[in-house]
Amino acid sequence: MKASQVTIDHVSKKFGDFVALDDINFTIKPGEFFSLLGPSGCGKTTLLRIIAGFEFPDDGAVLFDDKNIISLPPNKRPSNTVFQTYALFPHLTVYDNVAFPLKLKKVPKEEIDKKVREYVHLVQLDQHIDKKPNQLSGGQKQRVAIARALINEPKVLLLDEPLSALDAKLRANLLIDLDRLHDQIGITFIYVTHDQSEALSVSDRIAVMDHGHVLQIGTPYEIYESPATQFVAQFIGETNLFDAEVVDCVPHKDAKGDDDYMATLSVPELGKQAPLATDTAAEAALDRYMQVTDYDHTDKGQKVAFTIRPEKIRITLEPPHTGGRTDINVFKGIVEEPIYSGFQSKFYVKLETGKIIKVFKQHTDYMDDGPVIHWKDSVYVSWAAEDAYIVEDINK
């Protein structure tokens, strides 16, 4: 199958006074597994429906390989859609459900039979080919829907929260199958989900959306490790977020020896000036700050927010050994709530200022890797400056 490039060209859409999409503009590469991620009402499904042809934008265009397809009805576009609700014909077998699009096109019977068996095998349903939908599990029904969408050999497959009706374990298994299918057939997948773990685990790139805007587009690593805004930092996984004021910003060599900047921040919620909080790989982000605030690395008093992921923070009963490093942030606190989750423990630690932060401690072996930490224990929490990340100017 051939994959298409999909360009969303300044698309806007309103429903009455409600702005569903506000000047959305980006390009999806041919063969990409691209996810639209965001909470309910953010505009992701509206955008998918516009790409599919079920809705029309008020402004802008959708291009497949540089051809504007807005005027084409859904059945004339080189795309097919997999819905959350399967949309199978209950009176037809798996074979006939998958064959239906080809029968509409009056494809010869021999070719239909060959292709149906090929795509049923692709979704691993050979043993269920003569069953009807009421004899299938939810995951099997969704595989039938995927096979039916693929048999037309579209250049783009649109998936509208296809796993949300399934239980957690089945959802995880079918997600692996989707990723495998994408690797096998190589067409462009556009996947709508509100589930961060789904998007992070299978996507080549992710567009994080909120209130009709695209807040950030990047690889799963970039979205998680280098969030562009407070919303992205909080929506993707769990994090600790602080308001701060810039005290200083100086050139710095990162762990790889590359040029970087290190910002010293005053953080009221931590009760003192944090030694250093860094904007890792920060040149582009600091350039953005300069455009917004004319910040030139020397001005003091800029209001920012920074984030530190719970798994980046160490928790110990004894003061941590910093080895003389000045870029380690260390604070004392009391364990307010320890939560054991098998592979890790989550601690809510109340610092001396009253601020509660989250800390994740991974369990790497049977006996753990240090003293057991209990409720109300006095502890130290610490993190390296380069593991914190400035996400945005909070006054802009």
Side-chain angles (χ1 to χ4, degrees):
M1 294 186 194
K2 183 181 177 183
S4 276
Q5 173 177 287
V6 179
T7 300
I8 313 302
D9 186 14
H10 297 284
V11 166
S12 295
K13 177 69 176 179
K14 283 185 178 181
F15 295 100
D17 293 331
F18 176 72
V19 179
L21 298 171
D22 187 6
D23 194 28
I24 304 298
N25 189 56
F26 60 85
T27 296
I28 300 168
K29 302 171 187 175
E32 243 187 331
F33 197 127
F34 191 94
S35 290
L36 302 173
L37 173 65
S40 297
C42 72
K44 57 188 187 295
T45 295
T46 299
L47 180 56
L48 193 82
R49 289 176 61 81
I50 287 173
I51 298 170
F54 302 126
E55 297 281 356
F56 293 92
D58 298 327
D59 295 295
V62 175
L63 293 82
F64 281 24
D65 297 323
D66 299 323
K67 179 183 177 182
N68 189 354
I69 49 88
I70 283 295
S71 62
L72 299 179
N75 64 318
K76 298 295 183 181
R77 300 187 182 195
S79 62
N80 269 349
T81 305
V82 177
F83 299 98
Q84 175 183 339
T85 53
Y86 318 133
L88 301 180
F89 297 108
H91 62 290
L92 299 181
T93 63
V94 169
Y95 182 100
D96 290 325
N97 265 286
V98 176
F100 186 79
L102 299 184
K103 289 181 179 179
L104 282 181
K105 293 181 176 180
K106 303 189 183 303
V107 173
K109 186 175 180 180
E110 296 78 10
E111 186 178 344
I112 289 177
D113 186 69
K114 178 183 176 182
K115 293 194 73 174
V116 168
R117 294 185 185 280
E118 175 187 347
Y119 281 94
V120 168
H121 178 71
L122 190 66
V123 295
Q124 301 177 344
L125 287 176
D126 307 71
Q127 296 179 352
H128 307 280
I129 197 167
D130 295 319
K131 292 182 180 179
K132 291 184 177 179
N134 64 359
Q135 298 173 289
L136 304 175
S137 68
Q140 290 168 341
K141 291 176 186 177
Q142 196 57 282
R143 291 185 191 190
V144 176
I146 292 168
R148 186 178 61 184
L150 290 175
I151 203 166
N152 270 331
E153 298 187 346
K155 295 180 179 180
V156 179
L157 185 65
L158 308 173
L159 301 114
D160 187 10
E161 305 224 32
L163 311 183
S164 60
L166 307 177
D167 65 64
K169 190 170 183 180
L170 191 56
R171 193 161 61 240
N173 290 336
L174 194 51
L175 193 64
I176 295 170
D177 290 337
L178 266 180
D179 198 24
R180 174 185 58 81
L181 272 173
H182 175 258
D183 292 341
Q184 283 184 264
I185 61 181
I187 65 172
T188 306
F189 276 27
I190 304 178
Y191 186 84
V192 162
T193 182
H194 64 274
D195 189 306
Q196 306 95 319
S197 61
E198 284 183 10
L200 289 171
S201 59
V202 297
S203 306
D204 294 314
R205 286 191 303 154
I206 300 168
V208 182
M209 299 183 65
D210 189 41
H211 290 96
H213 295 90
V214 173
L215 303 182
Q216 185 175 2
I217 296 175
T219 65
Y221 177 85
E222 290 167 345
I223 294 290
Y224 185 82
E225 297 288 353
S226 309
T229 70
Q230 294 187 52
F231 177 87
V232 175
Q234 291 175 301
F235 187 74
I236 306 297
E238 296 189 59
T239 197
N240 297 286
L241 198 66
F242 303 88
D243 292 342
E245 183 176 307
V246 175
V247 174
D248 196 10
C249 189
V250 295
H252 166 74
K253 294 288 185 182
D254 64 17
K256 297 179 181 178
D258 296 328
D259 290 335
D260 201 349
Y261 290 96
M262 191 74 79
T264 303
L265 304 178
S266 176
V267 188
E269 288 183 302
L270 297 179
K272 61 178 181 178
Q273 180 178 304
L276 292 165
T278 187
D279 192 21
T280 52
E283 200 151 7
L286 283 173
D287 284 345
R288 175 166 56 82
Y289 298 144
M290 285 193 288
Q291 291 168 9
V292 172
T293 66
D294 295 321
Y295 180 51
D296 64 1
H297 309 316
T298 59
D299 291 345
K300 297 180 181 180
Q302 183 188 359
K303 304 293 185 180
V304 297
F306 83 92
T307 178
I308 176 73
R309 298 287 185 185
E311 69 274 13
K312 309 289 189 186
I313 303 174
R314 292 190 63 208
I315 181 169
T316 56
L317 293 173
E318 301 295 331
H321 298 289
T322 62
R325 291 173 58 180
T326 59
D327 62 339
I328 302 295
N329 298 274
V330 181
F331 301 94
K332 290 182 66 175
I334 301 292
V335 176
E336 287 287 295
E337 188 69 41
I339 300 174
Y340 178 76
S341 302
F343 68 99
Q344 71 176 12
S345 288
K346 179 189 295 187
F347 299 97
Y348 289 86
V349 178
K350 187 174 185 178
L351 304 182
E352 293 174 327
T353 60
K355 172 71 174 179
I356 294 178
I357 66 171
K358 288 175 285 190
V359 182
F360 294 167
K361 182 175 171 56
Q362 193 82 11
H363 300 306
T364 56
D365 55 52
Y366 175 70
M367 295 301 293
D368 202 0
D369 55 356
V372 176
I373 297 172
H374 300 285
W375 177 58
K376 293 301 180 184
D377 276 350
S378 179
V379 294
Y380 293 85
V381 294
S382 59
W383 65 85
E386 63 184 14
D387 287 330
Y389 197 85
I390 295 174
V391 289
E392 62 183 333
D393 174 1
I394 62 178
N395 287 334
K396 69 182 181 182

